[in-house]
């Protein structure tokens, strides 16, 4: 069958695993997909990335914990989740009913907690693990690991030793040298890097004359952070030899293509899902049309093509 008969080829290989396409939701913006079933076909996604899962239930931060900003939003949810036992019992059977890959985002306040979740998932039908060392909204763990090169190395190494699935490490942009952190994770055995998580920000309530978020600070996401995210993907892609998943303000197929040209093998769509639940479907269709119009055999030809 010729290429034109098969249609545009969006398949990509991520750490040796073939995905139907490079499009997936960002953790924390899609739950495990149940709330989006009526808006899109989960089978069309390259992968489903779940909300952060901890070893025990987390209540999250006090409210208010979400605020709109110019070009994006702030959140300080604090990784509220029902814990790994609930996730395995309720969410994994749901995800198994779809023909798409699954990546579970792992949350923890210590190395032992991260390893506990990974150990619980060792024999579950999960294709990837995403180690979240970049959440700015919890007081212990999270971003504390992601902003220190040595701690990023140590937690990645310990979690990798316990993991049965490929390990993607999600990095924070709230650092001086993102390349140094990425290289430390690669040296510790990471199978891939996802970047970026949210930028630390805040908003004032002019009526109460105090911070609007109960947690004072929150993570900024949405189109406002896209240029920062794109720059970091480009920088890291030049320095490491493991695949990158690009994240940060991706709302359209043109945004997704920019990240792929910068060196991302796949991309995650986050804040756009709240405004347009079909955003990922539109991005997939847009990339298919682009390949067809440009007479390009497959999307993998474009990964890193923007580097001179």
């Amino acid at each position: 069958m010729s290429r034109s008969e098969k249609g545009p080829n969006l398949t990509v290989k991520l750490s040796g695993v073939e995905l139907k396409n490079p499009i997936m939701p960002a953790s924390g913006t899609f739950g495990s997909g149940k709330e989006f079933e009526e808006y899109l076909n989960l089978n069309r996604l390259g992968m489903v990335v779940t909300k952060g899962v901890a070893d025990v239930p987390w209540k999250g931060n006090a409210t208010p914990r979400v605020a709109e900003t110019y070009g994006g939003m702030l959140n300080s949810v604090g990784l509220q989740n029902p814990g790994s036992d609930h996730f395995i019992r309720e969410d994994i059977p749901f995800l198994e009913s779809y023909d798409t890959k699954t990546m579970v985002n792992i949350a923890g306040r210590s190395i032992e907690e991260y390893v506990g979740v990974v150990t619980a998932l060792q024999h579950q039908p999960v294709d990837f693990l995403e180690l979240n060392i970049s959440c700015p909204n919890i007081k212990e763990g999270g971003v504390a690991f992601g902003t220190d090169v040595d701690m990023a190395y140590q937690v990645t190494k310990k979690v990798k030793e316990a993991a049965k699935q490929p390990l993607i490490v999600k990095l924070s942009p709230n650092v001086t040298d993102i390349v140094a952190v990425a290289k430390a994770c690669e040296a510790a055995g990471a199978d891939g890097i996802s970047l970026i998580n949210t930028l630390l920000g805040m908003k004032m309530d002019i009526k109460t004359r105090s911070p609007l978020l109960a947690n004072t600070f929150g993570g900024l996401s949405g189109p406002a952070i896209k240029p920062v995210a794109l720059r970091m993907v480009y920088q890291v892609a030049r320095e490491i030899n493991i695949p990158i998943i690009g994240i940060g303000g991706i709302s359209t197929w043109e945004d997704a293509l920019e990240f792929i040209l910068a060196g991302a093998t796949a991309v995650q769509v986050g804040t756009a899902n709240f405004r347009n639940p079909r955003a990922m479907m539109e991005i997939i269709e847009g990339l298919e049309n682009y390949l067809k119009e440009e007479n390009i055999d497959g999307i993998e030809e474009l990964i890193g093509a923007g580097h001179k």
Side-chain angles (χ1 to χ4, degrees), residues 271-292:
T271 304
N273 293 321
F274 299 130
R275 182 176 54 82
N276 175 13
R278 285 191 48 77
M280 288 186 288
M281 295 296 99
E282 294 172 6
I283 291 171
I284 292 169
E285 292 164 4
L287 290 174
E288 288 175 337
N289 291 335
Y290 177 79
L291 293 187
K292 188 175 181 180

Side-chain angles (χ1 to χ4, degrees), residues 172-281:
S172 169
N174 303 298
V175 297
T176 303
D177 186 352
I178 190 70
V179 171
V181 181
K183 292 177 79 169
C185 295
E186 180 183 34
D191 298 291
I193 298 293
S194 57
L195 72 159
I196 60 173
N197 206 320
T198 55
L199 282 157
L200 193 62
M202 71 177 297
K203 182 181 177 73
M204 283 290 180
D205 184 334
I206 59 173
K207 292 182 179 177
T208 63
R209 299 172 188 170
S210 61
L212 189 145
L213 298 174
N215 196 46
T216 304
F217 305 123
L220 176 64
S221 61
I225 72 169
K226 183 191 148 197
V228 177
L230 191 63
R231 182 263 296 176
M232 289 189 165
V233 167
Y234 188 89
Q235 285 182 310
V236 171
R238 291 192 297 189
E239 301 293 338
I240 66 173
N241 296 303
I242 52 178
I244 296 170
I245 301 175
I247 318 165
I250 297 171
S251 304
T252 67
W253 69 266
E254 292 95 335
D255 294 334
L257 183 57
E258 283 192 68
F259 276 82
I260 291 167
L261 292 171
T265 297
V267 299
Q268 295 182 3
V269 179
T271 304
N273 293 321
F274 299 130
R275 182 176 54 82
N276 175 13
R278 285 191 48 77
M280 288 186 288
M281 295 296 99

Side-chain angles (χ1 to χ4, degrees), residues 133 143-157 169 171 174-188:
I133 58 170
V143 75
F145 289 104
T147 54
D148 182 288
V149 171
D150 184 59
M151 290 180 72
Y153 176 88
Q154 294 298 334
V155 68
T156 301
K157 187 172 187 295
V169 183
L171 301 188
N174 303 298
V175 297
T176 303
D177 186 352
I178 190 70
V179 171
V181 181
K183 292 177 79 169
C185 295
E186 180 183 34

Side-chain angles (χ1 to χ4, degrees), residues 112-133:
E112 290 74 21
E113 288 188 8
Y114 283 118
V115 170
V117 183
V118 170
T119 301
L121 294 170
Q122 281 179 337
H123 303 294
Q124 297 297 325
V126 170
D127 298 288
F128 286 89
L129 303 173
E130 183 177 56
L131 176 62
N132 184 358
I133 58 170

Side-chain angles (χ1 to χ4, degrees), residues 4-238:
S4 58
E5 291 172 318
K6 290 188 293 185
N9 182 8
L10 288 184
T11 60
V12 295
K13 277 203 171 180
L14 182 68
S15 306
V17 178
E18 185 173 285
L19 309 182
K20 295 174 184 174
N21 60 68
I23 308 303
M24 60 192 75
S27 177
T29 67
F30 200 68
S32 289
K34 291 178 183 176
E35 295 83 355
F36 284 79
E37 273 187 303
E38 63 180 292
Y39 301 108
L40 53 82
N41 181 359
L42 271 64
N43 288 321
R44 284 277 282 153
L45 299 176
M47 185 145 61
V48 171
V49 184
T50 73
K51 169 71 177 167
V53 177
D55 58 343
V56 295
W58 286 12
K59 293 182 178 179
N61 293 328
T63 58
R65 52 190 187 182
V66 176
E68 289 189 43
T69 66
Y70 294 118
M73 62 177 285
L74 286 163
N75 94 82
S76 63
V77 173
L79 294 174
Q80 177 181 337
N81 76 94
S84 57
D85 288 346
H86 182 278
F87 175 80
I88 290 169
R89 185 174 63 251
E90 299 293 333
D91 292 88
I92 284 188
F94 167 78
L95 292 165
E96 273 197 288
S97 68
Y98 284 95
D99 179 26
T100 189
K101 304 298 183 187
T102 301
M103 178 149 64
V104 179
N105 184 278
I106 306 298
R109 297 186 179 93
S110 66
I111 290 176
E112 290 74 21
E113 288 188 8
Y114 283 118
V115 170
V117 183
V118 170
T119 301
L121 294 170
Q122 281 179 337
H123 303 294
Q124 297 297 325
V126 170
D127 298 288
F128 286 89
L129 303 173
E130 183 177 56
L131 176 62
N132 184 358
I133 58 170
S134 49
C135 179
N137 299 320
I138 57 175
K139 290 182 170 60
E140 298 172 316
V143 75
F145 289 104
T147 54
D148 182 288
V149 171
D150 184 59
M151 290 180 72
Y153 176 88
Q154 294 298 334
V155 68
T156 301
K157 187 172 187 295
K158 290 294 185 183
V159 172
K160 177 62 181 175
E161 288 172 356
K164 298 296 184 186
Q165 299 90 350
L167 181 68
I168 309 297
V169 183
K170 188 171 184 177
L171 301 188
S172 169
N174 303 298
V175 297
T176 303
D177 186 352
I178 190 70
V179 171
V181 181
K183 292 177 79 169
C185 295
E186 180 183 34
D191 298 291
I193 298 293
S194 57
L195 72 159
I196 60 173
N197 206 320
T198 55
L199 282 157
L200 193 62
M202 71 177 297
K203 182 181 177 73
M204 283 290 180
D205 184 334
I206 59 173
K207 292 182 179 177
T208 63
R209 299 172 188 170
S210 61
L212 189 145
L213 298 174
N215 196 46
T216 304
F217 305 123
L220 176 64
S221 61
I225 72 169
K226 183 191 148 197
V228 177
L230 191 63
R231 182 263 296 176
M232 289 189 165
V233 167
Y234 188 89
Q235 285 182 310
V236 171
R238 291 192 297 189

